[in-house]
Amino acid sequence: MSAADDPRPRALPRAHGEAVLSATLRNRAEDFIVEELPGFEPSGEGEHLLLTLEKRGMNTAFVARRLAEWAGIDERGIGYAGLKDRHAVTRQRFSVHLPRRQAPPLGALEHGSENEALRVLDHAWHARKLPRGGLAGNRFVLVLRDVVGAPAAIEARLATLAGRGVPNYFGEQRFGRGGDNLHAALSMFAGRRVGREQRTMLLSSARSALFNRVLAARVAAGCWDRPLDGEAWMLDGSRSVFGPEPFTEVLAGRLAAFDIHPSGPLWGRGALRSTGEAARMELEAMAPAPGDALRDGLERAGLKQERRALRLRPEELSWRWLEPDCLELAFSLPAGTYATTVLAELGDVVDVATRR
């Protein structure tokens, strides 16, 4: 299946060769542990209570509603940096707007049962609501079960991922169950009315699908982590873009050091930042239907051209065998990237929770 048919990583080309394993993930919530890496330190003053919570069996929106009820405020007074899944153990920050700095007892928030748990790990006052994207990244500890594959080949692939990185595909979460978000986005572009929150989600899905097409084409061509003529470069850990400019030894050194990355388009109004061969490949990858409809819809929605790095390196990647068929992985990723893109480079990993 091609990126034109299905933009999800499972359908896209791998950068490092054929699969080296098959496995299952999230047989239980404790098999998927994710901890937010904070983007700032609390100010210690202000009227927003920053809570670091550990949750199990609850998604972020559910906890936000629970916090609003606990505090006796409108849900719009709750802030969080990112969405976390229900089928996991997650540690993340929330902010609660309490103008009089009077918080109900924290113990009233805590809850534990066989299927759900919520625990307060830390709290502090801060001057502002926690914004979306207000985190440095996430730390993952994942347990793969029912692993089939040669351990030596699996460990060699993991060493390659640690040293060379992986394609920075948007993960399957962007595209909804069965990739349905893309069809819904096309329907919205054709005139179907949707709510504001759903509109934002569908615009992101459309943009992400076009980006994954471009990245898939460059993976297939073997140039996802090396420059093309007319390359637009992205600084690691930022949204800063520069170029195109001649590829020099200085740029080659920065590329090798993961200080810069080749980039691909997040489609919107305006001219492509890339030129030459890079722009040609981008436009060709996005051309097959429904590419024109997606681009036109994004432009009419008022989005502007942006860029995203094509390459992602999992930091502090480590692994250990818990059993002959049970592999634990640990690594950190920057905000806006996906653990599933790392797993896709290993092979066919079935998310049991999603299948349920």
Side-chain angles (χ1 to χ4, degrees), residues 1-330:
M1 185 178 290
S2 73
D5 302 316
D6 189 342
R8 295 173 295 173
R10 69 172 68 177
L12 305 181
R14 295 187 181 93
H16 302 297
E18 295 298 320
V20 294
L21 62 71
S22 64
T24 58
L25 175 68
R26 292 203 289 189
N27 289 268
R28 58 199 73 166
E30 291 79 8
D31 288 350
F32 197 105
I33 298 174
V34 54
E35 179 177 3
E36 285 186 351
L37 303 175
F40 61 88
E41 291 299 320
S43 63
E45 56 186 28
E47 53 188 35
H48 295 268
L49 181 63
L50 275 183
L51 296 171
T52 302
L53 305 180
E54 180 181 276
K55 62 183 184 64
R56 179 186 185 277
M58 306 175 183
N59 66 23
T60 299
F62 179 88
V63 174
R65 290 192 295 271
R66 187 177 184 127
L67 285 170
E69 293 172 0
W70 167 78
I73 65 173
D74 189 278
E75 195 174 331
R76 289 174 294 182
I78 307 299
Y80 47 85
L83 296 171
K84 299 292 186 291
D85 198 276
R86 177 166 67 93
H87 304 287
V89 175
T90 66
R91 303 179 186 115
Q92 70 176 121
R93 273 180 172 174
F94 292 81
S95 67
V96 184
H97 188 208
L98 296 168
R100 294 192 298 271
R101 289 174 59 100
Q102 293 179 353
L106 293 176
L109 273 176
E110 300 202 337
H111 166 75
S113 70
E114 182 179 353
N115 298 317
E116 295 181 350
L118 186 65
R119 189 159 63 99
V120 180
L121 302 180
D122 196 12
H123 65 281
W125 290 100
H126 191 61
R128 296 180 179 177
K129 180 180 179 179
L130 182 60
R132 291 293 183 96
L135 70 163
N138 293 286
R139 179 71 180 167
F140 297 90
V141 180
L142 311 179
V143 177
L144 304 184
R145 300 185 186 274
D146 310 310
V147 176
V148 176
I154 294 169
E155 294 190 20
R157 176 65 56 84
L158 287 166
T160 298
L161 304 188
R164 191 175 167 191
V166 301
N168 190 22
Y169 289 125
F170 281 103
E172 300 197 7
Q173 302 95 309
R174 276 292 173 105
F175 305 108
R177 187 180 297 276
D180 290 343
N181 284 359
L182 203 55
H183 301 294
L186 289 167
S187 178
M188 178 181 70
F189 293 152
R192 183 173 69 89
R193 300 188 67 175
V194 301
R196 192 167 92 176
E197 187 171 338
Q198 186 183 15
R199 178 180 182 273
T200 299
M201 177 186 69
L202 296 180
L203 290 174
S204 293
S205 295
R207 241 183 175 189
S208 301
L210 291 172
F211 176 88
N212 276 9
R213 282 189 179 195
V214 171
L215 180 49
R218 291 192 59 159
V219 170
C223 58
W224 62 281
D225 62 348
R226 62 179 179 82
L228 295 176
D229 175 61
E231 194 73 66
W233 297 99
M234 177 157 280
L235 291 173
D236 186 60
S238 80
R239 296 183 178 181
S240 297
V241 180
F242 69 95
E245 60 184 66
F247 190 61
T248 64
E249 289 186 9
V250 171
L251 287 182
R254 295 179 68 184
L255 178 64
F258 284 81
D259 178 49
I260 59 174
H261 309 281
S263 70
L266 297 175
W267 196 261
R269 293 177 178 175
L272 273 175
R273 181 65 180 259
S274 58
T275 60
E277 180 65 13
R280 183 196 65 78
M281 181 170 280
E282 291 169 6
L283 293 172
E284 285 186 0
M286 290 184 288
D292 287 345
L294 293 174
R295 285 189 291 165
D296 179 65
L298 290 167
E299 291 174 21
R300 285 190 286 109
L303 276 69
K304 297 181 180 180
Q305 287 280 346
E306 297 180 85
R307 307 288 293 186
R308 175 180 168 92
L310 297 180
R311 181 175 67 163
L312 167 68
R313 181 166 67 170
E315 298 291 338
E316 300 175 327
L317 174 60
S318 63
W319 58 89
R320 60 177 179 142
W321 293 93
L322 304 179
E323 300 287 347
D325 65 346
C326 185
L327 177 62
E328 181 186 86
L329 306 176

